[in-house]
Amino acid sequence: MYEPDHLSNTSIHRRDEFDEKLKELPTTEQQHTIKSITPEGDENDTESQIINKNGNNNTTTNGSEVHLRKSFSLWSVLGVGFGLTNSWFGISTSMVTGISSGGPMMVIYGIIIIALISICIGTSLGELSSAYPHAGGQFWWSLKLAPPKYKRLAAYMCGSFAYAGSVFTSASTTLSAATEVVGMYALTHEDFVPKRWHVFVCFEILHLFLMIFNCYGKSLPIISASSLYISLSSFLIITITVLACSRGQFNDAKFVFATFYNETGWKNSGIAFIVGLINPAWSFSCLDCATHMAFEVEKPERVIPIAILSTIAIGFITSFCYVISMFFSLRDLDSILKSTTGAPILDIYNQALGNKAGAIILGCMILFTSFGCVIACHTWQARLGWSFARDNGLPYSKLWAQVNPQVGVPLNAHLMSCAWISLIGILYLASSTAFNSLITGCIAFLLLSYIIPVSCLLLKKRQIRHGPFWLGKFGLFSNIVLLLWTVFAIVFFSFPAMMPVTKDNMNYVAVVIAGYTLYSVLYWNFKGYKEFHASEEEEEQQEYANDISTNGDGMGGASDSIGLSAMGIVSNEEEEDVSDRETEIYIMNGDKNIIHQNNI
């Protein structure tokens, strides 16, 4: 059965009938079918042309097609999105940053501030994903929106930043889980003093274990949906348990909402507060995750914006209620600030329950939640890296652009990304505040990737043929907030977390950002501008679509001249957004099977 992976906005109302017609078509290797579908009451006839030819080696041994199936529902996509963002979990594991930069007051009000900013970020991403649903996400949007002269460069830089952000996200999330494991051991062994190499070894072991789950495609929808339920159930169990055990011994409201602790060494409390915002900012990052599942979900132009904003809503409700509960139950803040576990949340559990075994059990719930989060990170980065490699955005792109036919996932891109994560983990050996550097790298690279297509959208004065999700003036306001927040975050989050600064606690993220940007520019100048072919491929697709429209039956050999990579993309979309948009359908089978739907 042939199945379209994406329909443009002008064809939303014809999707159901088109899908039903496709289900009736046989799938034999020798078949060559041209069939017209005209939805009742539509003014335009729709000619659906399906080409299936022999002679292509991009198949499995039994001749079946290799593609990303549309096996993800809204809940599955939300599971991936929230499983990755997982705000309450992020607050728990990164509390070591926030609690010393302002205490309860900073964390609580920081969540509110970041949640409001995240709504603007989510709105901006939602509008673009509704207008241009694509697994490439922001780098595809840049290609569609940037001025023709700079569209390839904009798409390349955006994709490069986005991919770097995904890798740093996976590294920081895995590091937080490793810190939690070492912290649990330290909590139950009072003589044990955690060292950086302990966390590093645990990081590498966890990473090798968790990378396995993304090596097989069929289990991912189940894992992603399960991650959502595990996260929410863990949140409820932990919150209720801590509150129940602290009954009658709660802190007063002044301690929770009006107590500011500055243990950073910064004399300016405002700077300390801003530096502490890294904690909630990381907890609401990676909102573009759902956009990269566009080829694996029905009606992505509607589902993806819902998933993004639902992720923010669930994240705010869970994280806000969670931290308030924890800080009302906290007994001794000074002892937590002096703790050597490296995981303040475990000390809060221990104080609230008065039982280390109980604290470990609650800690295990966070750990299981972190596993789902890391797996979602890997799913996200693999799709992003694979999509970017399809356009030769990475060195040796042909290798990373393949989808393994046996497991149904971009396995090479996944393994390559995991290799980078292993290397990035070495940064933790260089600095005691390397965790801050990793999460700042995650935030900075992703924000840089977001502002490129958003800036191009603003240059067009938001005059595009948008999708069903479009918020008008609030969308414009959200775009501006995103641009201002990006500049603010990159500058202030690069400040050292502690003062005075030494080589061991220095925030090296500025060096990482500058170094990676320099690499991207050099790669583009020496190789990328010759090999990165997104724009040329789009032009070839346009020519091919025109040939089909003109020649009708004369389609033999047309696909061979295009030379598509791991995913066959056939588009009949006009260059300017103000023109009539055509349907784009994507299937993972190179130039073997091509589905083209042309609005006449």
Side-chain angles (χ1 to χ4, degrees):
M1 180 182 72
Y2 296 102
E3 189 175 15
D5 282 322
H6 162 66
L7 295 178
S8 69
N9 301 322
T10 58
S11 299
I12 293 171
H13 62 289
R14 288 176 289 189
R15 173 189 297 277
D16 294 336
E17 184 169 351
F18 182 65
D19 286 345
E20 289 302 318
K21 293 290 185 181
L22 286 181
K23 290 178 181 177
E24 299 173 3
L25 295 177
T27 56
T28 56
E29 284 290 303
Q30 303 294 333
Q31 184 178 17
H32 177 194
T33 303
I34 302 178
K35 187 170 184 178
S36 295
I37 303 171
T38 306
E40 184 176 350
D42 199 309
E43 296 179 0
N44 297 322
D45 291 338
T46 302
E47 179 182 307
S48 299
Q49 301 168 340
I50 300 173
I51 307 167
N52 195 354
K53 306 192 313 179
N54 289 326
N56 188 294
N57 60 1
N58 194 19
T59 59
T60 60
T61 55
N62 62 1
S64 61
E65 55 187 19
V66 183
H67 53 67
L68 291 175
R69 303 297 300 176
K70 294 197 295 184
S71 55
F72 281 74
S73 64
L74 171 61
W75 283 104
S76 297
V77 175
L78 181 57
V80 173
F82 181 74
L84 176 57
T85 303
N86 233 325
S87 300
W88 77 271
F89 157 75
I91 289 290
S92 295
T93 55
S94 62
M95 194 175 288
V96 65
T97 299
I99 206 167
S100 62
S101 297
M105 179 180 170
M106 196 290 305
V107 177
I108 290 174
Y109 293 114
I111 288 176
I112 297 174
I113 294 171
I114 298 300
L116 293 174
I117 294 173
S118 296
I119 291 174
C120 295
I121 297 174
T123 297
S124 299
L125 299 180
E127 287 185 332
L128 290 171
S129 65
S130 182
Y132 307 105
H134 192 279
Q138 52 266 51
F139 93 78
W140 179 257
W141 307 335
S142 299
L143 177 69
K144 305 299 290 183
L145 295 171
K149 182 178 180 181
Y150 302 105
K151 63 192 311 181
R152 292 176 65 241
L153 175 60
Y156 168 77
M157 292 302 297
C158 183
S160 185
F161 284 137
Y163 180 66
S166 70
V167 172
F168 270 84
T169 301
S170 294
S172 58
T173 308
T174 307
L175 182 59
S176 68
T179 303
E180 193 79 14
V181 172
V182 175
M184 287 192 286
Y185 185 85
L187 184 65
T188 55
H189 297 77
E190 295 182 358
D191 296 334
F192 176 75
V193 178
K195 297 182 180 179
R196 271 180 267 173
W197 72 267
H198 295 146
V199 177
F200 173 74
V201 171
C202 187
F203 167 88
E204 296 293 349
I205 294 173
L206 275 178
H207 175 56
L208 289 174
F209 168 67
L210 294 172
M211 67 178 282
I212 297 173
F213 291 91
N214 265 269
C215 292
Y216 188 65
K218 289 185 178 180
S219 61
L220 289 179
I222 299 175
I223 293 174
S224 60
S226 300
S227 297
L228 177 62
Y229 298 124
I230 291 173
S231 176
L232 294 179
S233 60
S234 296
F235 157 73
L236 290 173
I237 293 172
I238 292 173
T239 303
I240 293 172
T241 301
V242 169
L243 289 175
C245 293
S246 300
R247 186 176 53 185
Q249 303 179 55
F250 294 127
N251 286 308
D252 57 24
K254 181 179 179 180
F255 172 80
V256 176
F257 296 104
T259 300
F260 188 86
Y261 280 80
N262 182 4
E263 300 293 329
T264 62
W266 283 99
K267 295 181 179 179
N268 189 315
S269 296
I271 296 295
F273 183 91
I274 292 172
V275 170
L277 284 177
I278 294 175
N279 177 202
W282 183 65
S283 303
F284 282 87
S285 61
C286 314
L287 295 176
D288 64 298
C289 173
T291 68
H292 305 292
M293 309 302 292
F295 295 156
E296 298 171 79
V297 63
E298 295 282 354
K299 300 184 179 179
E301 63 283 331
R302 296 183 182 273
V303 170
I304 291 175
I306 293 174
I308 293 173
L309 293 179
S310 297
T311 295
I312 298 170
I314 298 174
F316 173 72
I317 293 171
T318 54
S319 61
F320 191 69
C321 294
Y322 179 76
V323 296
I324 288 178
S325 301
M326 295 303 108
F327 289 139
F328 267 112
S329 303
L330 187 150
R331 306 281 177 81
D332 185 358
L333 182 58
D334 289 333
S335 65
I336 290 177
L337 292 171
K338 296 176 183 178
S339 174
T340 60
T341 62
I345 195 62
L346 293 176
D347 296 300
I348 294 177
Y349 294 162
N350 186 35
Q351 289 185 7
L353 275 63
N355 186 305
K356 291 183 178 180
I360 294 298
I361 292 175
L362 298 186
C364 286
M365 292 185 180
I366 289 186
L367 188 63
F368 291 142
T369 300
S370 74
F371 288 170
C373 192
V374 174
I375 292 170
C377 284
H378 289 172
T379 302
W380 170 51
Q381 72 178 17
R383 267 64 177 176
L384 209 162
W386 158 77
S387 185
F388 192 43
R390 284 179 41 248
D391 291 316
N392 286 337
L394 297 172
Y396 307 103
S397 286
K398 290 184 179 180
L399 184 60
W400 319 129
Q402 298 175 12
V403 173
N404 188 288
Q406 280 73 39
V407 297
V409 297
L411 184 61
N412 292 350
H414 170 56
L415 296 178
M416 180 267 292
S417 302
C418 289
W420 280 113
I421 294 171
S422 297
L423 293 175
I424 290 174
I426 298 176
L427 290 175
Y428 192 75
L429 296 176
S431 172
S432 60
T433 58
F435 179 67
N436 274 35
S437 299
L438 291 183
I439 63 178
T440 303
C442 155
I443 296 168
F445 282 126
L446 291 179
L447 287 176
L448 286 171
S449 73
Y450 298 163
I451 65 170
I452 293 176
V454 169
S455 298
C456 295
L457 178 64
L458 292 176
L459 288 175
K460 282 181 171 285
K461 298 181 180 180
R462 293 174 54 86
Q463 298 300 311
I464 65 171
R465 185 174 290 276
H466 55 76
F469 181 82
W470 188 256
L471 299 186
K473 291 183 179 180
F474 183 75
L476 173 61
F477 172 78
S478 298
N479 296 159
I480 295 173
V481 170
L482 172 56
L483 297 182
L484 295 177
W485 171 246
T486 300
V487 175
F488 180 89
I490 291 177
V491 171
F492 285 99
F493 289 177
S494 297
F495 283 17
M498 306 292 293
M499 294 292 286
V501 180
T502 66
K503 64 179 180 64
D504 291 328
N505 66 11
M506 176 64 183
N507 187 351
Y508 292 101
V509 71
V511 177
V512 173
I513 294 173
Y516 185 80
T517 302
L518 179 62
Y519 150 77
S520 297
V521 172
L522 291 176
Y523 184 82
W524 172 261
N525 286 329
F526 287 99
K527 195 173 183 181
Y529 80 96
K530 292 182 290 186
E531 295 187 354
F532 188 71
H533 58 68
S535 179
E536 288 83 357
E537 181 178 81
E538 187 180 31
E539 292 170 2
E540 290 174 341
Q541 293 159 11
Q542 178 67 40
E543 293 173 2
Y544 173 74
N546 291 337
D547 288 343
I548 290 181
S549 299
T550 302
N551 299 328
D553 235 15
M555 293 175 288
S559 60
D560 296 331
S561 65
I562 298 178
L564 299 180
S565 56
M567 171 176 287
I569 302 179
V570 181
S571 172
N572 193 31
E573 183 171 338
E574 296 292 332
E575 180 66 26
E576 297 297 330
D577 293 304
V578 295
S579 63
D580 292 334
R581 297 185 59 184
E582 304 294 339
T583 300
E584 299 172 7
I585 300 173
Y586 306 82
I587 54 175
M588 290 295 301
N589 198 19
D591 46 2
K592 175 178 180 291
N593 300 305
I594 301 177
I595 298 179
H596 174 70
Q597 182 183 9
N598 178 32
N599 296 331
I600 301 177

